[in-house]
Amino acid sequence: MNEDPYEPMRTPIEHKTHRHNVVFGLKTPLGRDVPVTVELLYDTRDPFAIKASFAHRRSSRIDWVFARDLLAEGLLAPAGEADVRVRPCAYDQESVLIDLSSPTGSATFMANSRELADFLSCTYDVIPDGDESSWINFDLELLRLNPDHW
């Protein structure tokens, strides 16, 4: 445990990010898929999470952050209970369905399983599964939650 919570934590390797662009198919009520460009981002500053940044119109993006484990589990079996759910597609073995919901609406996307598995493999090259907590300075995170306590 660090004596000074503001002291930077030593990490096993340098800070890294991994980005991967994919195209998801937005499922529409008419049964068509509308292609949506999605940038997947893995960042060692938040080692348990993946950020999916969806292109929206020409100049804006919509970001969703969810657990890396959720994506990994969803490639094999239905996963997730809240605003992000991932499950293998019953009628296309090469795809998964990703359901996103918020108070303002919901959407279902179809994505290629192999592309997502390749992205996950790259994230595990950066931080192996199970080593995520070694990248977190828990004293600093507690300080951020309750600065008056220190």
Side-chain angles (χ1 to χ4, degrees):
M1 180 149 74
N2 290 340
E3 293 297 319
D4 180 358
Y6 291 105
E7 180 181 323
M9 181 183 98
R10 291 202 181 275
T11 55
I13 56 177
E14 296 286 324
H15 163 73
K16 289 186 178 183
T17 59
H18 176 71
R19 296 174 192 275
H20 189 89
N21 289 317
V22 296
V23 175
F24 286 4
L26 173 63
K27 308 300 282 176
T28 67
L30 299 176
R32 286 190 6 215
D33 286 0
V34 175
V36 177
T37 301
V38 180
E39 180 186 67
L40 300 174
L41 172 69
Y42 183 71
D43 189 327
T44 57
R45 289 177 285 199
D46 193 357
F48 290 100
I50 289 172
K51 180 170 118 179
S53 186
F54 293 79
H56 178 66
R57 300 190 187 109
R58 290 181 187 243
S59 62
S60 65
R61 301 190 74 73
I62 298 173
D63 296 333
W64 284 78
V65 178
F66 52 92
R68 178 168 75 161
D69 287 349
L70 174 73
L71 182 58
E73 292 168 14
L75 290 174
L76 304 174
E81 297 177 7
D83 56 346
V84 179
R85 291 178 293 146
V86 181
R87 66 188 187 282
C89 183
Y91 55 88
D92 181 351
Q93 294 181 359
E94 296 180 3
S95 298
V96 294
L97 296 173
I98 301 169
D99 300 312
L100 305 175
S101 62
S102 74
T104 59
S106 63
T108 298
F109 296 89
M110 181 180 274
N112 182 279
S113 301
R114 173 61 32 213
E115 286 184 348
L116 296 178
D118 289 346
F119 169 75
L120 278 172
S121 179
C122 291
T123 72
Y124 295 136
D125 289 343
V126 175
I127 299 178
D129 187 31
D131 287 353
E132 297 91 349
S133 62
S134 67
W135 284 78
I136 297 174
N137 181 335
F138 288 99
D139 291 333
L140 181 57
E141 295 304 320
L142 287 171
L143 179 64
R144 288 182 179 149
L145 289 174
N146 190 2
D148 296 331
H149 179 72
W150 297 84

